[in-house]
Amino acid sequence: MDLQSEQLGETLVIRVNASRVDAAAAIQFKDGMRELTREGPDRCVLDLGQVDFVDSSGLGAIVASMKQLNDGQKLDLAALKPAVDKVFRLTRMDTIFAIYTDMATAMTYDAG
Amino acid sequence: MLADTALMVQDETIKPHGRGSAFETVMEPDFLAVRNTSLKIDNHLAAHQLPADDHQNCSIALTEALNNIVEHGFANLDSGEIRIALTVGVTTIRAVLTDDGRAMPGFQLPEGAAPDPIDLPEGGFGWFMIKSLSRSQTYERCGEMNVLTLEFSRGPAN
């Protein structure tokens, strides 16, 4: 699972460089996220702009990534494609994350 | 020679060719195979230029169904296979998933209740998603086989 991180101001941006976060990738994803969010700023944004498909295991791994954050850290999501957005809305897991249409919008949070 | 002809004829009856509407494949019961099969199903659905919602519903539900078969039907089993037959009709998309894994508990489909987001669930969404996204679901235990049929509505083209 290729996760690329970059600190922009006070935000840690983590880009998923894969087309799927699925059952075959879930454990690797969760482990990769733990490594990247172990230290660093309180706000993390997961850029899902390359991800075409998230299944329920991938969804579970994203939730697990949020639960394993340090105290005070938060995980926001950005750039969900239609099939990914559908999974979040259907399961109502869109209610527990701040979700931004694209990365530019996600980053205005920082400036504001 | 005769045997060859018989085989060919049999093939014709199983899989009518030239219409591009039937898709059949066999896979090993593991998650990487689910990914590969899911991508193949996606390609097949894309060829039919379905409305985006219909395509997504079918693609998501079938992936969840395959994940569930691997995770529960084949847990601690090291052999067996899953067969998928998908037909895209004018009004209905039908998928028949057959496997030789363990039977569903009680020989019936799980209830598929939605986990509450407030509990920050990391799983348990599979059958809720399948039931929400498909029009009908039927399950049969036939001898040593599980047969799961999922049907999806196909709306008018975009």
Side-chain angles (χ1 to χ4, degrees):
Chain A
M1 166 93 352
D2 183 359
L3 299 173
Q4 185 187 336
S5 73
E6 179 186 8
Q7 188 164 339
L8 296 174
E10 290 302 305
T11 300
L12 180 72
V13 175
I14 301 173
R15 184 176 302 114
V16 184
N17 286 327
S19 62
R20 297 170 71 93
V21 183
D22 58 13
I27 293 174
Q28 261 191 310
F29 175 83
K30 190 174 147 182
D31 290 349
M33 286 295 287
R34 181 185 290 117
E35 204 55 48
L36 292 174
T37 57
R38 191 188 298 277
E39 288 170 357
D42 281 350
R43 182 171 187 247
C44 309
V45 177
L46 188 65
D47 177 358
L48 290 165
Q50 306 293 315
V51 180
D52 297 319
F53 194 87
V54 169
D55 66 12
S56 64
S57 301
L59 175 66
I62 294 171
V63 174
S65 302
M66 183 254 271
K67 287 160 75 176
Q68 72 195 2
L69 293 173
N70 301 314
D71 281 351
Q73 271 184 316
K74 72 184 294 247
L75 179 67
D76 295 343
L77 309 178
L80 278 62
K81 289 193 174 184
V84 178
D85 184 58
K86 181 171 237 175
V87 168
F88 275 85
R89 278 186 290 116
L90 180 64
T91 58
R92 294 192 298 125
M93 297 307 277
D94 59 339
T95 59
I96 64 157
F97 289 97
I99 298 179
Y100 297 90
T101 320
D102 50 43
M103 278 310 295
T105 316
M107 295 314 290
T108 58
Y109 169 101
D110 211 25
Chain B
M1 217 40 170
L2 269 175
D4 277 359
T5 314
L7 263 178
M8 278 174 65
V9 170
Q10 196 181 25
D11 255 7
E12 300 275 318
T13 59
I14 293 171
K15 192 175 180 180
H17 67 95
R19 305 281 179 200
S21 61
F23 167 82
E24 293 183 28
T25 192
V26 181
M27 56 171 270
E28 304 267 304
D30 65 59
F31 291 127
L32 265 180
V34 173
R35 175 186 291 174
N36 291 333
T37 302
S38 175
L39 288 167
K40 283 192 220 167
I41 289 172
D42 229 27
N43 282 336
H44 185 74
L45 294 173
H48 285 276
Q49 300 179 313
L50 303 172
D53 261 334
D54 296 348
H55 182 138
Q56 288 161 8
N57 293 353
C58 189
S59 172
I60 295 168
L62 290 180
T63 306
E64 293 301 328
L66 292 172
N67 278 337
N68 265 285
I69 292 169
V70 170
E71 187 177 351
H72 302 293
F74 285 94
N76 306 315
L77 289 182
D78 47 15
S79 68
E81 60 181 34
I82 306 169
R83 292 165 295 278
I84 297 109
L86 180 67
T87 50
V88 180
V90 177
T91 60
T92 300
I93 304 162
R94 180 180 295 107
V96 182
L97 312 184
T98 313
D99 69 81
D100 32 42
R102 283 191 201 81
M104 291 270 194
F107 302 110
Q108 55 187 7
L109 291 176
E111 193 194 330
D116 192 334
I118 212 79
D119 301 326
L120 304 180
E122 293 177 37
F125 289 113
W127 268 99
F128 165 71
M129 289 166 69
I130 296 166
K131 288 191 171 178
S132 307
L133 297 170
S134 57
R135 186 179 68 201
S136 75
Q137 317 84 29
T138 54
Y139 168 74
E140 285 271 17
R141 180 70 175 177
C142 308
E144 298 295 304
M145 273 183 351
N146 298 305
V147 181
L148 173 66
T149 306
L150 300 179
E151 290 186 343
F152 304 83
S153 300
R154 176 183 183 177
N158 288 328

